Amino acid sequence: MTCVMAKRLSALRARLQSAQFAAYIIPMGDAHLSEYTAPRDERIAFISGFTGSAGTCVVTANKALLWTDGRYFNQATKQLPEGWTLMKDRLPETPSIEAWLADNLEAGASVALDSAFNQVSFVAKVQETLGKERVKPQQESIIDELWGTDQPAMPDNAVEVHDEKIAGVSASSKLTRLRAEMETVKASCSVFVALDQIAWLLNLRGSDIDCNPVFFSYLAVTKDQAVLFVDEKKLGQAKGALDAAKVTVQPYSDVLSKLPSIFAQCKDGKIWMDTQECTWAVYALAMEHGTVLEKASCVTTWKAMKNPSELEGMRQAHIRDGVAKTKWLAWLKKVMSDPAEVAKHTECTIADKLEAFRREGAGFKMLSFPTISSFGPNGAVIHYSPEPNTCAKADANTVFLCDSGAQYTDGTTDVTRTQHFGTPTAHHKKCFTLVLKGVISLGTAVFPNRTPGPRIDAMARQHLWKYGLDYRHGTGHGVGAYLNVHEGPIAINQRMTPGLRSLTSGLDIGMCVSNEPGYYEDGAFGMRIENVMAVKAVETEHQFGGDQYVSFETLTMIPIQKTMMDLSLMTEEDIEWVDTYHAEVFAKLSPHMSGSDLEFLKEATAPLVTNGHGPDAKRRKVAA
């Protein structure tokens, strides 16, 4: 494989030399800037071997570099072949891509990038740093040319209608609301490139990208028409829903040729584009044929703020998911107690069994991301993905971290639980408990509505910080409602870069977000506990400045392993939170469980302390 990758890199460099390009930028993503991609859009994997979901490559005549964040440092180190350099993004010593290009290329040297796959705001930064004349957007991908006939075909999976009872609002009503907002901002046309925005706005779902219920399309909305660019053969019954919403259909491949005629109708207003959700190809076309309003899309926020129907769907999906994962935990505990059974299993077979339990649940459609099933050192690879030929064997004497989720017709789940099936060390328990305390502190926080997520990130890290520990990933991400498991515009993290949506978009009532602090020791283990939460209004004694204050409702309903907790590190409030949470888990899951599964649930959710909640740790007895 190393020889194959080297040949591809050499072929790319030959193309660059022939075209007189000093560098070529290869982004992660597709023509819709999707985080997860279909096989035909895995261009970074094709050229570098790196399979993570975040990264950007830069190739020059003598350098090949990959920028990725802390979730993927270990994975990239293992996957990048000889001749590649890992650039640890977001660390103080790592330059930005545009800064590296400015410092390492000769004056006047040209940089190529694909206009179809690069975000407008990123291209603008590169142009600002290097000068517009040096940046050469390409209409055809050089990687695609190298890939040739071996490149996988475009997916053509069916588009489905999303039940209005679950969506809560009709597609027609959403379009009416959008047009009212367009009138307010004096826009005659709105163009949507992001697939989850289109799916939400039209109450449609698909499966063109694994784990993401979306379909390849573009959408243009004017004052009196809405045009969906999609392969019509995929629509089926969805065509009737589009007709009812007065949405016309044009071929997906015609988008760049047909958009100019739509833009021509926008002489009395601007073309509304979200530069963080739009590719350079579509943006440049709009600039050529009209006046662009560069403004964050209102749909991003509307989609994030779940209405009552969507929230109830999320609750019910998490209950069914909780039943599935708790049955799996019961099965796993039994397997791991028998050395003969342990020997039969690997990280992959254990992940497959979890998926099998989920498939039994009503409304299951697909996983929401590839399951992270990791024993021991593999748990320290934050976004580890086990492969059948290389995954670790099951091991009852080490830490096991499993991060997984599913897509149901009424909601999206994402949960992490860390287990030990033998005897955890004092260090294991200490690290686990500090992570748990972070989950509790963030999950019980009260703060003004619309507070940006980065402002509360430290609540989850504070307990680790007291011991000089931390983790290299965000604490929380937005979660869609039967949509993408990672959803903007919100995030809970430490990033304070001006202009980030997570700083300008606060946590608002109805938004769903993950709560997932962790701790990782390279070569040893990983710890993470993750729940999905919904922002809810709370009553406070005072309302300073007239602000509404909010907190969180925990949606995830799955036991947290009690034998991993160090009670001497926990306060009375911590213990009360665990017991209250587990009581709720039992109340919601027990009606759907029976036999040995129910017995496991009873044991796993029994009160943490059976001899009172006094401050003396010696009086504390772990129930299970």
Side-chain angles (χ1 to χ4, degrees):
M1 186 61 180
T2 301
C3 181
V4 172
M5 304 306 291
K7 288 181 178 179
R8 290 174 181 174
L9 187 59
S10 294
L12 174 58
R13 284 176 167 148
R15 295 289 183 97
L16 298 182
Q17 183 179 17
S18 175
Q20 297 186 330
F21 295 139
Y24 180 44
I25 300 173
I26 310 164
M28 183 73 69
D30 55 20
H32 305 275
L33 306 177
S34 306
E35 176 185 14
Y36 295 101
T37 57
R40 72 170 284 105
D41 291 309
E42 294 173 353
R43 295 174 181 85
I44 284 183
F46 173 83
I47 197 65
S48 75
F50 175 67
T51 60
S53 66
T56 303
C57 290
V58 172
V59 175
T60 70
N62 53 21
K63 294 285 185 180
L65 310 105
L66 168 74
W67 273 258
T68 192
D69 62 59
R71 295 171 298 167
Y72 295 108
F73 289 169
N74 285 346
Q75 179 177 338
T77 299
K78 292 179 179 180
Q79 290 184 330
L80 288 177
E82 185 179 352
W84 281 83
T85 300
L86 170 61
M87 304 295 285
K88 296 184 176 181
D89 201 13
R90 303 179 189 174
L91 296 187
E93 63 271 21
T94 303
S96 65
I97 292 169
E98 60 272 20
W100 187 92
L101 291 168
D103 291 341
N104 288 273
L105 299 185
E106 294 183 3
S110 297
V111 175
L113 52 80
D114 297 318
S115 61
F117 311 127
N118 276 281
Q119 181 190 60
V120 173
S121 54
F122 172 73
V123 176
K125 282 194 302 182
V126 178
Q127 288 182 333
E128 182 180 356
T129 303
L130 301 181
K132 289 184 178 181
E133 69 284 352
R134 295 179 60 188
V135 181
K136 309 296 183 181
Q138 302 298 296
Q139 299 303 313
E140 302 294 333
S141 168
I142 302 174
I143 295 293
D144 289 358
E145 292 176 6
L146 292 176
W147 213 336
T149 57
D150 291 333
Q151 185 177 20
M154 280 283 292
D156 59 356
N157 300 325
V159 176
E160 300 177 353
V161 177
H162 185 49
D163 192 336
E164 189 177 316
K165 292 180 180 178
I166 299 172
V169 181
S170 69
S172 295
S173 296
K174 291 178 181 179
L175 290 170
T176 297
R177 184 183 182 190
L178 172 62
R179 288 180 172 120
E181 190 69 19
M182 288 166 56
E183 186 172 348
T184 299
V185 300
K186 295 180 171 53
S188 295
C189 179
S190 287
V191 179
F192 296 92
V193 172
L195 302 181
D196 62 334
Q197 290 185 350
I198 297 168
W200 180 86
L201 194 57
L202 299 180
N203 285 349
L204 300 176
R205 298 294 188 268
S207 57
D208 280 345
I209 298 176
D210 287 348
C211 304
N212 295 261
V214 295
F215 54 96
F216 283 111
S217 57
Y218 296 87
L219 178 66
V221 180
T222 68
K223 293 179 179 179
D224 51 19
Q225 69 171 330
V227 182
L228 179 67
F229 293 90
V230 66
D231 290 337
E232 190 167 352
K233 65 181 180 180
K234 301 165 62 169
L235 294 179
Q237 293 183 354
K239 182 62 168 63
L242 291 170
D243 291 341
K246 298 181 179 179
V247 178
T248 59
V249 174
Q250 294 284 351
Y252 176 81
S253 58
D254 287 356
V255 62
L256 296 182
S257 62
K258 295 290 180 65
L259 277 178
S261 63
I262 296 175
F263 294 155
Q265 303 172 35
C266 302
K267 300 300 183 183
D268 59 337
K270 298 180 179 180
I271 303 166
W272 187 354
M273 288 190 162
D274 186 335
T275 57
Q276 292 191 25
E277 300 278 3
C278 187
T279 60
W280 186 260
V282 175
Y283 174 81
L285 199 65
M287 289 290 287
E288 181 182 349
H289 294 278
T291 302
V292 174
L293 171 64
E294 298 183 10
K295 180 178 174 63
S297 173
C298 54
V299 172
T300 303
T301 302
W302 295 346
K303 174 170 55 67
M305 295 177 64
K306 280 61 177 178
N307 61 48
S309 297
E310 290 173 317
L311 279 176
E312 184 56 27
M314 289 288 281
R315 293 185 186 102
Q316 295 305 315
H318 277 84
I319 289 173
R320 295 196 303 281
D321 198 63
V323 170
K325 190 156 189 178
T326 302
K327 287 181 176 180
W328 172 79
L329 287 172
W331 169 83
L332 189 56
K333 182 180 180 181
K334 183 178 180 180
V335 165
M336 300 302 284
S337 66
D338 183 346
E341 287 297 311
V342 172
K344 298 177 182 178
H345 288 284
T346 67
E347 292 167 331
C348 286
T349 64
I350 289 171
D352 291 343
K353 187 66 174 181
L354 175 54
E355 182 175 350
F357 277 114
R358 282 189 162 120
R359 286 186 178 278
E360 295 174 359
F364 175 88
K365 300 297 288 187
M366 64 185 88
L367 298 180
S368 57
F369 57 95
T371 297
I372 299 169
S373 172
S374 53
F375 281 97
N378 289 339
V381 181
I382 297 171
H383 271 209
Y384 172 74
S385 180
E387 297 292 340
N389 295 329
T390 58
C391 66
K393 294 181 179 180
D395 185 351
N397 297 308
T398 190
V399 176
F400 176 63
L401 183 156
C402 185
D403 187 347
S404 64
Q407 298 283 4
Y408 298 89
T409 53
D410 50 357
T412 302
T413 70
D414 182 1
V415 57
T416 307
R417 291 292 182 263
T418 302
Q419 309 275 124
H420 199 300
F421 300 98
T423 304
T425 68
H427 183 59
H428 289 153
K429 296 176 71 172
K430 176 181 178 180
C431 295
F432 181 94
T433 305
L434 296 176
V435 170
L436 173 62
K437 287 170 72 71
V439 170
I440 296 170
S441 293
L442 183 60
T444 58
V446 177
F447 50 93
N449 194 33
R450 301 189 183 93
T451 296
R455 292 188 181 178
I456 62 173
D457 178 85
M459 294 180 179
R461 298 178 192 265
Q462 59 178 313
H463 307 287
L464 287 162
W465 284 351
K466 288 179 182 178
Y467 292 85
L469 304 177
D470 205 347
Y471 49 96
R472 285 197 179 104
H473 60 74
T475 298
H477 56 80
V479 179
Y482 186 29
L483 271 175
N484 294 355
V485 71
H486 294 160
E487 179 178 80
I490 58 171
I492 301 174
N493 55 35
Q494 293 181 299
R495 299 183 67 190
M496 293 293 181
T497 307
L500 284 176
R501 289 280 166 82
S502 57
L503 289 173
T504 57
S505 302
L507 296 162
D508 211 333
I509 295 169
M511 290 182 171
C512 294
V513 64
S514 68
N515 175 3
E516 50 181 311
Y519 174 66
Y520 313 88
E521 289 191 2
D522 290 351
F525 63 84
M527 304 277 187
R528 186 161 66 251
I529 302 170
E530 177 185 16
N531 291 332
V532 173
M533 313 180 296
V535 182
K536 66 175 183 178
V538 295
E539 295 296 325
T540 51
E541 182 179 355
H542 306 285
Q543 289 184 311
F544 181 81
D547 288 341
Q548 170 67 59
Y549 281 72
V550 297
S551 188
F552 295 110
E553 170 191 354
T554 299
L555 301 178
T556 302
M557 291 289 127
I558 299 170
I560 301 170
Q561 191 179 40
K562 292 178 289 184
T563 51
M564 283 287 279
M565 300 177 193
D566 182 344
L567 301 186
S568 69
L569 296 174
M570 297 174 69
T571 66
E572 296 291 331
E573 290 77 14
D574 294 336
I575 292 170
E576 182 179 1
W577 183 92
V578 170
D579 285 349
T580 301
Y581 175 69
H582 277 158
E584 184 180 6
V585 170
F586 182 81
K588 291 184 175 179
L589 302 191
S590 58
H592 311 285
M593 302 180 74
S594 61
S596 60
D597 292 334
L598 181 58
E599 289 305 310
F600 171 83
L601 178 65
K602 287 179 180 178
E603 180 184 12
T605 59
L608 184 63
V609 177
T610 60
N611 194 23
H613 286 186
D616 184 359
K618 294 180 180 179
R619 295 176 60 237
R620 298 174 176 174
K621 306 291 185 181
V622 180

